[in-house]
Amino acid sequence: QKEVEQNSGPLSVPEGAIASLNCTYSDRGSQSFFWYRQYSGKSPELIMSIYSNGDKEDGRFTAQLNKASQYVSLLIRDSQPSDSATYLCAGDQTGANNLFFGTGTRLTVIP
Amino acid sequence: GAVVSQHPSWVICKSGTSVKIECRSLDFQATTMFWYRQFPKQSLMLMATSNEGSKATYEQGVEKDKFLINHASLTLSTLTVTSAHPEDSSFYICSAANRATEAFFGQGTRLTVV
C-alpha cells in the first residue's frame, strides 16, 4: 500500500464551482500534511499545511484533516481557470524528516 | 513562504559529462534538504535526504556514486550528476525543510543529456 494515495483524476469543474480533492494515508503516526500546487513544467508550490483534526481555511482554500479515518482533503471554492494544475498531497513519515507525496490530482477548471 | 533558489533552471549537456545543481535556502536555515526527480506526468520521486554536515541518505535504487550530494552549510546543498546519460534527463527539484517540516521547493532544473 502506498503511503499517500490520491485519485489521479483528471477532475474537471466549471468556473465558480467547488473543487474537492481527496487524499488518504497509511501511516497512523503522520502528524503533518500539506497540499502543493504544481503547474505544468514548474516546481510544486506549498498552498496549505494542516496538523490538527478539523478544517483550516485560507482564502478560497480549505484543508480538512480526519486522523481517525486517515484522510486529508482540499476544497477550492469559487474555482478559477488559474487554479488548473496538479495538486499534490503530502504527509510526513513517523520518525523521519521527509514527506511522502501522492501521485497528484490533475484539476481543470473550465471557463 | 520561504524562498529556495535552485540553479540552473535548465541545462543541456553531452553524454558522459557531469552537471552540478545548486539549491540554496535564502531566508531560513535548512538542516535538511531533499532532492527529487520527476519524469513527465509522474509525481515526485525522492532521491536522497541531505543533512548539513553529514552524508546524504539515498533512497533504494538511487546510485550514490552517480548522484553526488554535498550539504556543506545550512543554506546550500548541491547535486552532481556524474557521467550523465540520456536516461538521466529529467526534472530535478530540491526542497528545504524548516522546523515545522514544511518543505519549500526550488524552481527545479530541467536536465537534458544529449
Side-chain angles (χ1 to χ4, degrees), chain A residues 15-16 19 23 65 67 86 98:
Chain A
E15 184 174 357
C23 172
L65 173 59
K67 291 188 177 181
T86 295
N98 62 320

mmCIF file of all heavy atoms in Angstrom, chain A residues 15-16 19 23 65 67 86 98:
data_model
loop_
_atom_site.group_PDB
_atom_site.id
_atom_site.type_symbol
_atom_site.label_atom_id
_atom_site.label_comp_id
_atom_site.label_asym_id
_atom_site.label_seq_id
_atom_site.Cartn_x
_atom_site.Cartn_y
_atom_site.Cartn_z
ATOM 1 N N GLU A 15 -16.035 26.853 -13.866
ATOM 2 C CA GLU A 15 -15.601 28.058 -13.151
ATOM 3 C C GLU A 15 -16.657 28.481 -12.141
ATOM 4 O O GLU A 15 -17.864 28.485 -12.439
ATOM 5 C CB GLU A 15 -15.356 29.185 -14.145
ATOM 6 C CG GLU A 15 -14.810 30.461 -13.526
ATOM 7 C CD GLU A 15 -14.453 31.508 -14.574
ATOM 8 O OE1 GLU A 15 -14.574 31.211 -15.780
ATOM 9 O OE2 GLU A 15 -14.058 32.618 -14.186
ATOM 10 N N GLY A 16 -16.205 28.798 -10.923
ATOM 11 C CA GLY A 16 -17.124 29.212 -9.873
ATOM 12 C C GLY A 16 -17.586 28.088 -8.971
ATOM 13 O O GLY A 16 -18.133 28.338 -7.889
ATOM 14 N N ALA A 19 -14.154 22.764 -6.054
ATOM 15 C CA ALA A 19 -13.349 21.587 -6.408
ATOM 16 C C ALA A 19 -12.956 20.870 -5.130
ATOM 17 O O ALA A 19 -12.507 21.509 -4.171
ATOM 18 C CB ALA A 19 -12.105 22.003 -7.178
ATOM 19 N N CYS A 23 -7.340 12.730 -0.364
ATOM 20 C CA CYS A 23 -6.076 12.035 -0.178
ATOM 21 C C CYS A 23 -6.206 11.138 1.054
ATOM 22 O O CYS A 23 -6.769 11.559 2.062
ATOM 23 C CB CYS A 23 -4.988 13.093 0.017
ATOM 24 S SG CYS A 23 -3.383 12.501 0.472
ATOM 25 N N LEU A 65 -8.705 17.670 7.765
ATOM 26 C CA LEU A 65 -7.936 16.510 8.222
ATOM 27 C C LEU A 65 -8.789 15.663 9.155
ATOM 28 O O LEU A 65 -9.385 16.192 10.101
ATOM 29 C CB LEU A 65 -6.663 16.961 8.944
ATOM 30 C CG LEU A 65 -5.821 15.885 9.628
ATOM 31 C CD1 LEU A 65 -5.359 14.819 8.636
ATOM 32 C CD2 LEU A 65 -4.636 16.511 10.350
ATOM 33 N N LYS A 67 -7.929 12.365 11.214
ATOM 34 C CA LYS A 67 -6.891 11.383 11.556
ATOM 35 C C LYS A 67 -7.492 10.006 11.841
ATOM 36 O O LYS A 67 -6.850 8.986 11.593
ATOM 37 C CB LYS A 67 -6.082 11.868 12.752
ATOM 38 C CG LYS A 67 -5.214 13.074 12.434
ATOM 39 C CD LYS A 67 -4.277 13.407 13.584
ATOM 40 C CE LYS A 67 -3.362 14.572 13.208
ATOM 41 N NZ LYS A 67 -2.410 14.902 14.304
ATOM 42 N N THR A 86 -1.895 20.531 -11.180
ATOM 43 C CA THR A 86 -1.853 19.257 -10.464
ATOM 44 C C THR A 86 -1.662 19.546 -8.986
ATOM 45 O O THR A 86 -0.805 20.344 -8.615
ATOM 46 C CB THR A 86 -0.711 18.364 -10.976
ATOM 47 O OG1 THR A 86 -0.969 18.017 -12.334
ATOM 48 C CG2 THR A 86 -0.614 17.086 -10.149
ATOM 49 N N ASN A 98 11.159 13.518 6.280
ATOM 50 C CA ASN A 98 10.849 13.664 4.873
ATOM 51 C C ASN A 98 9.358 13.466 4.662
ATOM 52 O O ASN A 98 8.641 13.038 5.564
ATOM 53 C CB ASN A 98 11.670 12.687 4.027
ATOM 54 C CG ASN A 98 11.363 11.247 4.364
ATOM 55 O OD1 ASN A 98 11.190 10.913 5.524
ATOM 56 N ND2 ASN A 98 11.280 10.401 3.360
#
